[in-house]
Amino acid sequence: EAQVTQNPRYLITVTGKKLTVTCSQNMNHEYMSWYRQDPGLGLRQIYYSMNVEVTDKGDVPEGYKVSRKEKRNFPLILESPSPNQTSLYFCASSPTGPILQETQYFGPGTRLLVL
Amino acid sequence: GDSVTQMEGPVTLSEEAFLTINCTYTATGYPSLFWYVQYPGEGLQLLLKATKADDKGSNKGFEATYRKETTSFHLEKGSVQVSDSAVYFCALSDVLFGNEKLTFGTGTRLTIIP
């Protein structure tokens, strides 16, 4: 089944404790992206990647890191989480990116609480 | 920069009512426009899209027409069902600036009452 998977689905952590949220797609998509969803703000892009070893900042990259060593994986890293990073996070992928009007496929989301 | 403005929710309708969710946008290039739907506990799914002015996207009884003159992409459905209860997001991607991301509106929560 074609899908985007994220792990973990739920995570409670404390300020400053490094964490990684994994994202994997099995559709051989070139483009991958991370969003955070907050009430009243909709979805905002954190980082995106056009292909392996190519990443770029979205609208709200501060406090996050990403890497794209393999085509299928795009982990989101919080080196030192803070309470303002409490949010619902979505990973998405598409064959070549929204600029070609292709559908983006979203993962199920990771709900993060930073105490 | 690019932006998307959606009508504020939540919206509550009775089953079989007519639905309109307003969406207007600001973009400097030639955006493509999308409606995504998020069912409870799930990720977003593409509902429909339109890539140029006067295009109409349609899916599952929903329709939206790309109106360049009014910079709008309103979502409509003639007869809603309980299963349409979800959060709806309007979004755009701007081709001119090579902007490789979607810009989303804040979402409109729709609840359909039997």
Side-chain angles (χ1 to χ4, degrees):
Chain A
E1 179 189 353
Q3 60 182 348
V4 178
T5 57
Q6 294 178 229
N7 282 293
R9 294 289 311 278
Y10 304 92
L11 179 59
I12 301 174
T13 190
V14 295
T15 298
K17 186 175 181 181
K18 180 180 179 180
L19 67 91
T20 298
V21 183
T22 64
C23 173
S24 182
Q25 50 91 7
N26 62 1
M27 296 170 278
N28 202 37
H29 286 170
E30 293 185 353
Y31 178 91
M32 298 185 74
S33 180
W34 276 102
Y35 296 86
R36 59 178 289 173
Q37 182 180 9
D38 301 292
L41 296 176
L43 278 81
R44 294 176 293 168
Q45 191 182 51
I46 303 170
Y47 269 95
Y48 65 92
S49 169
M50 294 298 294
N51 214 325
V52 175
E53 302 292 0
V54 180
T55 63
D56 207 347
K57 297 177 180 178
D59 293 322
V60 289
E62 294 77 21
Y64 303 94
K65 287 175 58 177
V66 294
S67 68
R68 188 92 182 272
K69 294 184 172 60
E70 309 165 277
K71 199 171 190 178
R72 63 184 293 127
N73 296 323
F74 190 45
L76 180 69
I77 303 158
L78 284 71
E79 294 271 1
S80 182
S82 62
N84 64 11
Q85 292 178 297
T86 293
S87 188
L88 179 59
Y89 291 87
F90 287 101
C91 181
S93 74
S94 73
T96 53
I99 198 170
L100 295 180
Q101 297 93 46
E102 291 173 321
T103 299
Q104 283 200 37
Y105 296 84
F106 282 78
T110 295
R111 189 168 291 281
L112 172 65
L113 172 62
V114 183
L115 300 174
Chain B
D2 296 345
S3 67
V4 175
T5 303
Q6 282 182 243
M7 68 184 285
E8 300 250 344
V11 174
T12 303
L13 295 172
S14 298
E15 205 166 20
E16 298 184 3
F18 183 85
L19 168 71
T20 300
I21 301 178
N22 290 337
C23 172
T24 57
Y25 67 90
T26 301
T28 48
Y30 303 94
S32 294
L33 302 173
F34 306 81
W35 276 100
Y36 278 82
V37 58
Q38 184 180 29
Y39 298 105
E42 298 183 12
L44 278 72
Q45 303 172 26
L46 179 69
L47 181 60
L48 54 84
K49 66 182 182 183
T51 59
K52 61 183 187 295
D54 300 324
D55 269 3
K56 177 186 283 188
S58 61
N59 186 25
K60 299 181 181 179
F62 290 90
E63 292 183 341
T65 300
Y66 188 163
R67 302 284 188 201
K68 189 176 180 182
E69 63 275 13
T70 54
T71 61
S72 65
F73 193 55
H74 304 322
L75 183 67
E76 297 181 335
K77 186 174 185 182
S79 177
V80 293
Q81 305 301 313
V82 172
S83 58
D84 294 327
S85 297
V87 181
Y88 292 81
F89 292 92
C90 186
L92 69 81
S93 68
D94 190 334
V95 176
L96 180 62
F97 284 158
N99 202 351
E100 301 291 350
K101 69 179 176 75
L102 286 166
T103 298
F104 285 88
T106 55
T108 302
R109 181 176 298 278
L110 173 67
T111 302
I112 307 301
I113 300 171

